[in-house]
C-alpha cells in the first residue's frame, strides 16, 4: 500500500477520476481552472492509496494582494491561499498530515496568514482546520472564509501550531537514538543522511505528522506537563564522538504524558499510540507489557536550521548533567540553543 504524499503536476493527474466529481459539482468552472493549471505547469500535493486518489491540495501565494472577493475584504499582507483542498472519507489523520504541509509552506513563505474558502457542508474538514487555529472570518458567496493568523498566540498549543510561546514555559532536553530520530523527525536528518533520505524517510503517518508519540523508560519524564517545551537531542551514532555527533535538532511541545497503566487494555494502548509511533503493533504490545513505560505525546513545532552540538552545549552553555537522556534546561540555555540553531524567528512568539 502506497500512502505517500507527493507534489505532482496537474498535467499528470487524471481529472476524470471520480475523486474530482464533487469539486466539479461545487465549482462549475473547476474543469477549466484545472486545465489552465495544467497548461501553466502548476503542481498540487496528492495522496493515493492502492492507486486510488484520496487527497488533493493546491496552495497559492497571494502576498501583496487585497482580498476584495470576500466579505469583509481583507487588507494586503503576506498571504498563503489554500486554493483547493479535498480529502476522501473524512480521514482525520490524513487531514492532519496535509495541515502540516500547509503550515510548512506558510513558514517557508513567511506568511502572515493562511486562508481557505469552503462550503459549510464539509464539516469534517472544517473541524480539522479549526483544530489548528483556522477561524471563520468572513464569507465568499455561499462559502465561509477560514483564516489562520501566523503572527498571534492564543495559548492553545494546537490552535497555535506551529507557533510556540517560550516565555514562562519549562524547557527540557530529551534524547532519542539515531535509528528512531531519523524516522520521527525527517525534517531534522543530518547532512550525511541526505544521500539516503529516500530510504531513511518515508512520507508516512509517523514521519510527516504534527503529533509524535515517544516511548521510554525514563521515570523523570513523568513530571512533564502540557505546554512544556522539549529540545530533541539526537544521540551519537557510530560515525564519530558525541562531541560532534550528538546534536539538538528539533523543538516540540508536550501534549500529555501517560504510562501503560493508564490504559485499560492493550487494545486501548494500541489505539492511542499506533498512528503516531514508529513502532509496529507487535512492538507496541511489547512496550505495553513492560513495567514503567512512559508515553509522551508531543507536537512537532520546529526543525533547527543549524544543529547544536554536544560540544557547544558543554563548552559554551556549561551543561554537565548526570544523565543526558532527560534533564531540565534554563531559559538562558534554551534561548542560546534557539539562537545557535538559527531558528526562524517567526515561529517564536513571546
Amino acid at each position: 500500500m502506497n500512502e505517500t504524499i507527493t507534489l505532482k503536476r496537474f498535467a499528470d493527474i487524471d481529472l476524470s477520476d471520480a475523486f474530482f466529481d464533487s469539486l466539479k459539482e461545487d465549482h462549475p468552472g473547476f474543469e477549466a481552472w484545472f486545465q489552465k493549471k495544467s497548461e501553466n505547469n502548476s503542481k498540487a500535493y496528492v495522496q493515493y492509496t492502492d492507486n486510488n486518489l484520496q487527497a488533493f491540495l493546491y496552495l497559492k501565494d497571494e502576498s501583496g494582494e487585497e482580498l476584495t472577493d470576500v466579505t469583509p475584504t481583507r487588507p494586503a499582507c503576506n498571504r498563503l491561499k489554500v486554493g483547493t483542498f479535498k480529502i476522501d472519507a473524512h480521514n482525520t489523520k490524513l487531514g492532519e498530515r496535509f495541515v502540516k504541509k500547509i503550515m510548512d509552506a506558510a513558514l517557508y513563505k513567511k506568511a502572515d496568514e493562511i486562508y481557505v474558502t469552503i462550503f459549510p457542508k464539509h464539516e469534517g474538514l472544517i473541524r480539522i482546520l479549526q483544530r489548528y487555529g483556522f477561524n471563520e472570518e468572513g464569507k465568499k458567496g455561499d462559502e465561509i472564509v477560514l483564516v489562520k493568523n501566523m503572527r498571534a498566540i492564543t495559548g492553545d498549543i494546537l490552535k497555535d501550531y506551529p507557533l510556540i510561546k517560550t516565555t514562562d514555559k519549562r524547557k527540557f532536553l530529551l534524547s532519542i537514538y539515531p535509528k528512531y530520530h531519523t524516522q520521527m523527525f525527517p525534517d531534522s536528518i543530518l547532512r550525511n543522511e541526505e544521500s539516503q533520505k529516500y530510504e531513511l524517510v518515508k512520507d508516512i503517518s509517523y514521519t510527516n505528522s504534527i503529533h509524535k508519540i515517544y516511548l521510554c523508560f525514563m521515570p523523570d519524564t513523568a513530571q512533564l506537563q502540557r505546554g512544556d517545551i522539549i529540545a530533541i537531542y539526537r544521540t551519537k551514532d557510530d560515525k564519530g564522538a558525541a562531541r560532534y555527533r550528538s546534536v539538538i535538532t528539533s523543538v516540540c511541545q508536550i501534549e500529555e504524558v501517560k504510562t501503560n497503566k493508564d490504559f485499560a487494555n492493550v487494545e486501548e494502548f494500541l489505539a492511542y499510540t499506533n498512528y503516531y509511533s514508529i513502532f509496529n503493533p507487535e512492538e507496541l504490545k511489547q512496550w505495553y507489557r513492560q513495567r514503567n513505560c512512559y508515553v509522551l505525546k508531543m507536537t512537532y513545532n520546529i526543525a533547527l536550521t543549524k544543529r547544536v552540538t554536544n560540544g557547544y552545549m558543554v563548552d559554551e552553555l556549561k551543561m554537565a548533567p548526570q544523565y543526558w537522556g532527560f534533564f531540565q534546561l534554563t531559559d538562558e540555555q534554551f534561548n542560546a540553543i534557539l539562537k545557535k540553531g538559527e531558528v526562524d524567528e517567526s515561529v517564536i512568539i513571546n
Side-chain angles (χ1 to χ4, degrees):
M1 181 184 294
N2 179 12
E3 294 188 347
T4 301
I5 296 174
T6 56
L7 190 61
K8 196 169 184 178
R9 296 191 315 153
F10 274 69
D12 296 328
I13 301 171
D14 183 8
L15 180 58
S16 66
D17 192 304
F19 173 89
F20 293 110
D21 288 351
S22 63
L23 290 170
K24 294 173 184 176
E25 293 171 7
D26 288 344
H27 305 279
F30 182 79
E31 290 175 273
W33 172 83
F34 195 100
Q35 182 59 37
K36 184 177 180 180
K37 293 300 177 186
S38 298
E39 294 169 357
N40 292 342
N41 204 33
S42 296
K43 297 179 180 180
Y45 289 102
V46 294
Q47 187 269 339
Y48 292 84
T49 299
D50 295 333
N51 296 319
N52 296 314
L53 185 58
Q54 297 290 305
F56 180 94
L57 169 66
Y58 170 67
L59 300 173
K60 182 184 179 185
D61 187 344
E62 290 189 350
S63 296
E65 300 178 22
E66 182 183 3
L67 289 187
T68 57
D69 60 347
V70 302
T71 305
T73 60
R74 302 189 66 82
C77 67
N78 290 335
R79 181 180 287 114
L80 180 68
K81 179 182 181 181
V82 180
T84 303
F85 185 21
K86 182 190 173 184
I87 295 173
D88 255 357
H90 304 292
N91 192 329
T92 299
K93 298 295 191 297
L94 182 58
E96 291 172 4
R97 290 169 64 196
F98 271 87
V99 167
K100 186 175 187 303
K101 290 290 184 187
I102 295 169
M103 301 301 188
D104 288 347
L107 290 176
Y108 178 77
K109 295 178 180 296
K110 299 188 182 302
D112 298 313
E113 69 176 36
I114 313 165
Y115 86 104
V116 57
T117 63
I118 187 169
F119 288 105
K121 66 180 180 180
H122 300 302
E123 296 177 358
L125 194 53
I126 291 171
R127 280 196 299 270
I128 293 171
L129 292 168
Q130 289 178 331
R131 184 184 188 204
Y132 297 103
F134 283 80
N135 297 307
E136 184 175 343
E137 296 195 11
K139 300 281 187 182
K140 181 181 179 181
D142 294 330
E143 295 179 281
I144 61 173
V145 179
L146 297 178
V147 179
K148 163 80 172 181
N149 188 331
M150 294 294 288
R151 297 288 179 260
I153 286 283
T154 67
D156 182 311
I157 65 174
L158 295 187
K159 290 184 181 299
D160 292 339
Y161 178 87
L163 308 182
I164 189 168
K165 181 178 183 291
T166 62
T167 54
D168 302 321
K169 293 284 188 73
R170 299 192 303 172
K171 292 93 175 175
F172 297 84
L173 178 144
L174 178 70
S175 67
I176 297 181
Y177 290 130
K179 63 179 179 179
Y180 301 141
H181 176 276
T182 299
Q183 296 177 70
M184 287 182 69
F185 301 99
D187 298 335
S188 304
I189 66 174
L190 273 60
R191 280 194 201 91
N192 70 294
E193 296 175 314
E194 282 287 349
S195 61
Q196 309 170 61
K197 185 170 184 178
Y198 181 77
E199 289 75 23
L200 290 169
V201 178
K202 301 297 190 295
D203 186 6
I204 49 183
S205 59
Y206 55 73
T207 58
N208 290 304
S209 62
I210 291 172
H211 308 278
K212 305 290 180 182
I213 290 287
Y214 179 76
L215 304 174
C216 69
F217 297 114
M218 294 184 282
D220 285 351
T221 59
Q223 69 180 285
L224 290 168
Q225 300 172 2
R226 185 176 179 86
D228 285 345
I229 298 173
I230 302 295
I232 299 297
Y233 180 69
R234 178 195 184 275
T235 59
K236 82 177 192 70
D237 49 27
D238 59 1
K239 295 180 173 61
R243 180 174 181 80
Y244 307 104
R245 300 295 300 170
S246 294
V247 293
I248 293 178
T249 66
S250 318
V251 176
C252 298
Q253 278 190 288
I254 292 292
E255 292 184 60
E256 59 184 355
V257 177
K258 295 177 177 287
T259 72
N260 48 354
K261 297 176 184 177
D262 292 322
F263 300 91
N265 49 52
V266 67
E267 288 76 21
E268 189 177 295
F269 180 79
L270 289 174
Y272 183 85
T273 60
N274 192 33
Y275 190 82
Y276 299 119
S277 167
I278 63 173
F279 299 108
N280 64 41
E282 289 307 311
E283 291 171 324
L284 287 171
K285 289 176 183 178
Q286 293 179 26
W287 280 95
Y288 178 76
R289 289 191 288 266
Q290 299 293 322
R291 293 182 61 189
N292 300 321
C293 167
Y294 294 89
V295 183
L296 280 57
K297 187 175 183 182
M298 307 176 284
T299 58
Y300 175 28
N301 293 73
I302 302 170
L304 273 60
T305 302
K306 182 179 179 181
R307 313 302 175 230
V308 179
T309 65
N310 170 277
Y312 173 80
M313 290 184 277
V314 171
D315 295 346
E316 301 298 326
L317 304 185
K318 308 304 179 185
M319 291 186 187
Q322 291 184 331
Y323 175 52
W324 280 88
F326 177 78
F327 62 93
Q328 189 164 356
L329 301 168
T330 67
D331 288 344
E332 292 74 21
Q333 288 170 336
F334 182 76
N335 290 336
I337 288 167
L338 293 184
K339 184 175 181 180
K340 184 69 173 179
E342 298 179 0
V343 168
D344 184 347
E345 293 181 354
S346 66
V347 184
I348 306 297
I349 307 282
N350 289 322

